Amino acid sequence: MTQEHPFGWGLIGASTIAAEHMIAALRAQPGHAVVAVASRSAERGRAYAERHGIARSTDSVDALLADPDVNAVYISTTNELHREQVLAAAAAGKHVLCEKPLALTLDDALAMVQACRDAGVVMATNHHLRNAATHRRIRDLVRSGAIGKPLYARVFHAVYLPPHLQGWRLDQPQAGGGVILDITVHDADTLRFILDAEPVEAVGMTQRAAMAREGLEDGVMAVLRFDNGVLAQLHDAFTVKHAGTGLEIHGEQGSIVGRNVMTQQPVGEVVLRTADGERSIPVEHESLYVRGVAAFCAALRGEGPPAATAEDGVRSLATALAVVEACRTGTTARVATPLI
C-alpha cells in the first residue's frame, strides 16, 4: 500500500482497548491507517471518530464492511457479538483481528475460524500477553533447559477492574462477562505459549466477593494439568487492588519468576534461580500491541503466522470453558480438543 492508498482498518466497536492501545498500534504499521469505526450508537461513534481522528463512523457493521477502503477489521465488541461480526467480515472478504475470547462456545469459535478459511482471509486472536518481552524471555529460558523439566506453574492475575471498565463484565452473563472469560483465558493462552503444551483438565472454585452480579464471578482459583505433566495454579480476580501480578515456572533444576508481567504495559522483570544462585534476566521491553499487530501485518504478507492465531484463540477458549465447567460442577473437567 502507498501513502495515497493505505491499507485500511475498520474498527468494529468504539472500545476502550482500541482507544488506549490498538489505534496507536495500527497506525504504527507503515502504510496502514484506521479509516472507519462502527458503533451501535451513532452519537458515540461520531464522537469517538472525532476524538481519535478517524475519517468515518457508522452505526452499521454492514456499512463498514461495504466500505472499499476497509481491508481488515479489528473487533472489540462484547463477546456475544463476535461470532456474527466475524462471519460477516469473512463474507465481505475482510481480514480479521478479533479480541478474546473469540466466542462464548467452541462451536461458534470453530464456525468463525472455518468461515475465514473458506473466505481466504487471515484471522487472528488479540491475545496480547504472548507479545510481552518478559513472556518471550521466559519461554526462551524454558525451551533452553535453564530450569530442566518444567513441573509447576503459578499465575497471579488478581487485579482491580477500574471503574471505566466495570459494567457488562460484571452483570451481563449473556455478553460473556465474568473473570474467567476475561482474565483466565489470558492465563491459559500465556501458559500454552510459554510451555509449548496444551491443558487437558481443570479444577477450580469461584468467588463473588463484591462486584459481580447476575450469577457471574469476580474471582477464581483454578488448577490446570497440561499434557506435558505441568500443574498450573491460577489466581484471577477483579477485586484485588494491591497484589501485583506475576508468573512463575518451577522445574527440576530451577525456577523462573516473572514480576509485574500480567499486564497490558511493557513492564516487568524476570529472575532465574538455580543452584548457581539468582540472577536477573535482561528484557528489552516494547509495546505488546504494536508487536502483535506487526505480526498480523506480516501474516497478511505471507511472512509467518500471527502472534496468536485463530486456532490459539479456540484452544485458549476451550481451556477457559473447562474452568467454567469445573467451577460449576465441582468436579474435574476435561479440556475439549477441538478439531480445528
Side-chain angles (χ1 to χ4, degrees):
M1 297 291 174
T2 65
Q3 186 172 4
E4 293 79 14
H5 300 285
F7 185 96
W9 284 83
L11 306 181
I12 299 181
S15 66
T16 299
I17 186 172
E20 294 182 350
H21 299 285
M22 289 299 292
I23 293 174
L26 295 168
R27 288 172 171 165
Q29 311 307 315
H32 287 243
V34 179
V35 299
V37 59
S39 172
R40 285 183 289 185
S41 165
E43 181 179 357
R44 174 180 170 84
R46 283 193 296 270
Y48 191 93
E50 181 177 355
R51 185 161 62 250
H52 298 290
I54 301 170
R56 298 186 289 283
S57 68
T58 178
D59 60 0
S60 165
V61 170
D62 289 341
L64 181 140
L65 293 174
D67 188 334
D69 292 335
V70 172
N71 305 108
V73 294
Y74 167 62
I75 297 175
S76 59
T77 50
T78 50
N79 302 328
E80 85 285 9
L81 300 176
H82 292 176
R83 179 185 185 275
E84 293 307 317
Q85 291 168 347
V86 169
L87 295 183
K94 312 296 185 181
H95 303 290
V96 176
L97 179 56
C98 186
E99 269 303 324
K100 58 80 219 169
L102 284 185
L104 301 186
T105 71
L106 280 184
D107 285 346
D108 283 353
L110 290 168
M112 294 154 65
V113 174
Q114 190 60 52
C116 288
R117 282 181 183 164
D118 292 345
V121 298
V122 175
M123 178 183 174
T125 313
N126 200 36
H127 273 299
H128 66 280
L129 286 173
R130 59 170 59 208
N131 296 305
T134 49
H135 293 143
R136 290 184 283 112
R137 290 295 286 127
I138 293 171
R139 186 192 203 199
D140 290 344
L141 289 168
V142 172
R143 284 181 160 185
S144 71
I147 61 171
K149 179 183 178 181
L151 300 173
Y152 300 99
R154 293 199 292 175
V155 178
F156 312 94
H157 203 165
V159 296
Y160 185 74
L161 190 65
H164 72 282
L165 295 180
Q166 295 175 20
W168 66 268
R169 290 175 175 85
L170 299 172
D171 59 12
Q172 293 186 33
Q174 71 278 9
V179 75
I180 296 174
L181 287 182
D182 198 62
I183 294 182
T184 305
V185 70
H186 274 313
D187 300 350
D189 189 75
T190 303
L191 288 172
R192 291 180 56 251
F193 172 74
I194 288 172
L195 296 170
D196 288 316
E198 295 295 340
V200 294
E201 57 185 357
V203 296
M205 299 180 72
T206 57
Q207 184 180 68
R208 194 172 305 125
M211 298 171 69
R213 299 177 294 279
E214 303 299 327
L216 291 173
E217 77 288 343
D218 52 27
V220 63
M221 284 193 170
V223 175
L224 302 175
R225 186 188 303 277
F226 282 76
D227 59 7
N228 64 351
V230 169
L231 289 178
Q233 179 189 64
L234 316 178
H235 176 203
D236 302 322
F238 287 149
T239 53
V240 178
K241 294 183 177 180
H242 306 295
T245 71
L247 183 147
E248 301 173 356
I249 310 292
H250 303 284
E252 289 182 331
Q253 305 299 326
S255 293
I256 305 166
V257 177
R259 301 189 182 102
N260 193 27
V261 295
M262 307 302 287
T263 171
Q264 296 172 305
Q265 304 302 324
V267 298
E269 60 177 335
V270 177
V271 171
L272 174 65
R273 297 173 182 159
T274 66
D276 296 327
E278 178 176 301
R279 64 185 177 96
S280 179
I281 303 299
V283 176
E284 296 184 8
H285 292 292
E286 61 182 303
S287 166
L288 286 66
Y289 294 95
V290 171
R291 183 181 180 86
V293 174
F296 184 87
C297 294
L300 295 176
R301 300 190 297 269
E303 301 171 2
T309 64
E311 293 78 8
D312 284 317
V314 173
R315 295 191 186 281
S316 296
L317 172 62
T319 303
L321 292 175
V323 173
V324 170
E325 181 66 9
C327 294
R328 184 185 69 82
T329 63
T331 62
T332 300
R334 297 290 300 178
V335 178
T337 304
L339 297 175
I340 303 174

